[in-house]
Amino acid sequence: MNGEIEPETSSSWLGLDGRGVLIAGAGGIGSACAKAFIGGGARIVLVDQDQARLEATTKEIHGPCKAIVADLSVATSARMAVKQATEVLGEIDIFIHCVGINQRKPVLDVSEDDWTKVLRINLDSAFWLAQSVGRSMVERGFGRIIILSSVSGLLAHPDHAPYAASKGAINQMMRVMAREWAPFGVTVNAIAPGYTETDLTMDYLERDGNRAKLQKMVPVGRLGTTQELTGPALFLASPHSSFITGHVLYVDGGRTLV
Ligand SMILES: NC(=O)c1ccc[n+]([C@@H]2O[C@H](COP(=O)([O-])OP(=O)(O)OC[C@H]3O[C@@H](n4cnc5c(N)ncnc54)[C@H](O)[C@@H]3O)[C@@H](O)[C@H]2O)c1
């Protein structure tokens, strides 16, 4: 299934029937995306380093979904995962990067290990996976790449230096990929969520009244849900977004307005 599908000629409004989707990261947001894309008629390969998490997610999904275990912070493993996913899907039409960690520490306490770990998992994995997937998409003349950024790529949250650096870098990396690959039918965009309840944020939200403090900073008055990220991801993967590339879509209840 090469090339663009016109929305009006697709059998469903989303135009995702039969599309091959690689989702890196089977956590809260990656799993929600996997379920939403299966619901939209796509075929999925999920990659994560956590086998138990992959098993739990694939059990909940009723549809074509295969799992691959890999440490995606290592370039060779990331490339191998793309190769294996391509063997399963035939072609990867859509790639969604949902891998990430955070280490909340003041700048003066960040160690070399902290810095390297966050940058390798958040940024290196996105670069090596997108490069590998992008190579085939450019050759075929079609592709959709969506990378999970964060409001931290724009705002200066204390205790977030490595995480914020990784997300700011993702935004710029995404823009360069978008510019280079636009002539080849490949769009590259980022989704930047505000605080959303997943394993990434759960412990922090439960401590020291953090949830209430953070909710007050969101004009909508609450935190986001993973389901509120799947609509934007489906849209950016669909034929309806064919003229949108290099964009950071904030899904944050207005957090970046404050
Ligand atoms: N949850 C939020 O509030 C929020 C807000 C802004 C941005 N984001 C971004 O969204 C993305 C997904 O976050 P989430 O909330 O679903 O987090 P999550 O913790 O639920 O999932 C992250 C997944 O990444 C996997 N992972 C970590 N290191 C890996 C590695 N080396 N190789 C392979 N997999 C690895 C974990 O096993 C986990 O399944 C991340 O990029 C995160 O920064 C999340």
Side-chain angles (χ1 to χ4, degrees):
M1 196 191 311
N2 283 342
E4 191 61 79
I5 299 176
E6 292 298 326
E8 58 272 25
T9 60
S10 166
S11 62
S12 78
W13 183 86
L14 280 170
L16 296 174
D17 294 310
R19 287 294 197 192
V21 185
L22 171 61
I23 301 179
I29 296 170
S31 300
C33 283
K35 288 171 197 161
F37 276 77
I38 288 282
R43 298 167 299 120
I44 309 287
V45 169
L46 265 176
V47 194
D48 200 291
Q49 69 175 5
D50 184 337
Q51 182 157 12
R53 184 170 286 210
L54 279 171
E55 279 166 13
T57 304
T58 46
K59 245 187 219 157
E60 289 171 11
I61 291 177
H62 307 292
C65 179
K66 289 258 178 328
I68 296 171
V69 181
D71 177 356
L72 297 168
S73 66
V74 178
T76 47
S77 311
R79 288 192 203 102
M80 182 54 73
V82 170
K83 188 167 175 282
Q84 289 174 304
T86 308
E87 282 162 13
V88 173
L89 295 170
E91 304 278 10
I92 298 170
D93 299 300
I94 297 155
F95 166 53
I96 310 175
H97 184 270
C98 304
V99 173
I101 61 161
N102 194 0
Q103 306 252 24
R104 290 181 178 80
K105 286 184 183 176
V107 169
L108 297 181
D109 295 344
V110 172
S111 69
E112 208 173 322
D113 278 354
D114 295 331
W115 177 265
T116 309
K117 190 172 177 198
V118 173
L119 270 289
R120 287 191 70 185
I121 292 175
N122 294 10
L123 180 61
D124 292 17
S125 69
F127 183 79
W128 297 120
L129 286 165
Q131 184 200 50
S132 188
V133 171
R135 198 181 303 284
S136 311
M137 288 178 169
V138 164
E139 273 169 23
R140 287 172 62 209
F142 176 80
R144 293 276 184 275
I145 296 178
I146 302 162
I147 304 176
L148 267 292
S149 178
S150 166
V151 295
S152 294
L154 180 72
L155 304 175
H157 297 144
D159 303 338
H160 273 62
Y163 186 79
S166 74
K167 296 301 182 178
I170 276 175
N171 292 349
Q172 278 302 83
M173 178 194 81
M174 174 280 292
R175 283 159 49 80
V176 175
M177 288 174 175
R179 182 162 180 191
E180 288 189 9
W181 298 342
F184 304 99
V186 180
T187 68
V188 190
N189 291 289
I191 293 176
Y195 265 92
T196 307
E197 309 224 19
T198 68
D199 285 356
L200 188 75
T201 53
M202 198 187 302
D203 289 349
Y204 183 73
L205 291 172
E206 296 307 322
R207 285 201 309 268
D208 310 325
N210 286 328
R211 182 189 302 277
K213 279 184 238 161
L214 286 163
Q215 279 171 341
K216 271 195 198 137
M217 296 167 94
V218 183
V220 162
R222 62 174 176 82
L223 306 184
T225 65
T226 55
Q227 283 71 27
E228 287 170 309
L229 295 166
T230 57
L234 288 166
F235 167 67
L236 287 175
S238 78
H240 302 279
S241 66
S242 53
F243 208 53
I244 300 174
T245 197
H247 191 77
V248 181
L249 177 56
Y250 289 94
V251 184
D252 65 353
R255 174 69 185 87
T256 45
L257 300 172
V258 181

